[in-house]
Amino acid sequence: AGVNPRQCPARLARMNILGIDVGGSGIKGAPVDLEAGDFAVPRLRIPTPEKSSPKNVAGVVAEIIEHFREHLPDGARIGLTIPAPVVHGRVPFIANLHKSWAGLEASAFFEDFLGRPVTLVNDADGAGLAEVHYGAAKGNDGLVIMTTLGTGIGSAIIHRGVLVPNAELGHVELDGHDAESRAASSIKDREGLSYKQWAVRLQRYYSHLEMLFSPDLFVVGGGVSKDSEKFLPQLDLKTPIVPARLRNRAGIIGAALAARDADLHPDTV
């Protein structure tokens, strides 16, 4: 049966919530046990359609929902991350999916298509939420900045467990350049930089963020974080900087967290 979160928040806190993480190459989802902070059952991954239009992506999301139907209450809200800012349910611009996403009232579109409530969140924001609640930043009540080093640089700002959405810290100006065009891990690979050479650029980047925000903790995610011992020890910062722990689970778990928060606090959505 469906759940009315306003009437039974304790039940909502205990139930599994489906999180789905939409990426440029794959769409991944799993029911999440938010007490444990992990998947309730193994995830399902389906390749992102070659034409990654909203309709085609929504079709894959529907497949994932159907796959996990027996694990979910009827009509329950799902959480969905996408690689774009989400401003009051709208996608202002897009980089790694089909250009038809730009300007889309995406929350309303997905709710109409799927016939259920949907909480949409930026992918780096979702990963940041997951790391604060269950991962490398768990127990830190201060200002946490998570960055994901990949094709570009994604970012999330969380203060005392509350997300400040849609931070685009990969696009701060650094020595006259867009920061991610100098310090993303894709640039390291493209220019054939050693970890030592790349760390010089990361030092400049994180020192700049440190000056701007005076954070309590940096968390570094993205695929390259698995090699963090090759570059993080080379950075000289006042702020502790640590690798993310949840790796490729973070987006799905963060999406589920955002969905639960939307049901528990509907007046703030």
Side-chain angles (χ1 to χ4, degrees), residues 2 10 43 75 88 98 189-190 195 206-207 230 245 249 251 266:
R43 72 171 192 173
H88 303 299
H98 193 269
D189 296 339
R190 185 180 310 157
Y195 280 105
Y206 287 109
S207 293
K230 297 179 181 178
R245 289 183 190 163
R249 295 177 294 148

Side-chain angles (χ1 to χ4, degrees), residues 43-129:
R43 72 171 192 173
L44 173 66
R45 182 188 186 278
I46 298 175
T48 303
E50 185 173 346
K51 182 182 179 182
S52 55
S53 65
K55 184 177 180 180
N56 289 347
V57 168
V60 174
V61 169
E63 283 185 58
I64 294 174
I65 293 172
E66 182 60 33
H67 179 81
F68 292 115
R69 183 170 298 279
E70 67 182 277
H71 298 279
L72 305 170
D74 292 342
R77 179 182 297 273
I78 68 164
L80 190 66
T81 76
I82 61 170
V86 181
V87 182
H88 303 299
R90 180 176 178 271
V91 176
F93 62 87
I94 194 78
N96 295 319
L97 295 174
H98 193 269
K99 63 182 181 180
S100 58
W101 283 81
L104 179 71
E105 296 290 345
S107 289
F109 170 81
F110 276 96
E111 289 188 349
D112 289 345
F113 190 99
L114 301 170
R116 65 173 62 230
V118 175
T119 294
L120 212 62
V121 64
N122 169 266
D123 54 358
D125 284 347
L129 281 173

Side-chain angles (χ1 to χ4, degrees), residues 131-216:
E131 289 292 338
V132 164
H133 283 269
Y134 306 110
K138 183 178 180 180
N140 190 306
D141 294 327
L143 176 63
V144 176
I145 295 179
M146 179 170 179
T147 57
T148 55
L149 303 175
T151 303
I153 299 178
S155 61
I157 301 174
I158 299 105
H159 182 236
R160 295 184 177 178
V162 178
L163 174 70
V164 180
N166 299 314
E168 290 288 343
L169 302 184
H171 298 293
V172 297
E173 184 179 321
L174 197 61
D175 300 327
H177 299 274
D178 201 49
E180 68 177 23
S181 73
R182 303 285 292 166
S185 66
S186 62
I187 302 302
K188 171 191 172 298
D189 296 339
R190 185 180 310 157
E191 297 185 16
L193 301 175
S194 68
Y195 280 105
K196 185 176 181 179
Q197 291 170 321
W198 186 45
V200 173
R201 299 188 182 189
L202 293 178
Q203 175 70 45
R204 185 78 184 87
Y205 176 62
Y206 287 109
S207 293
H208 190 54
L209 294 187
E210 189 173 58
M211 181 273 293
L212 291 174
F213 294 98
S214 299
D216 294 284

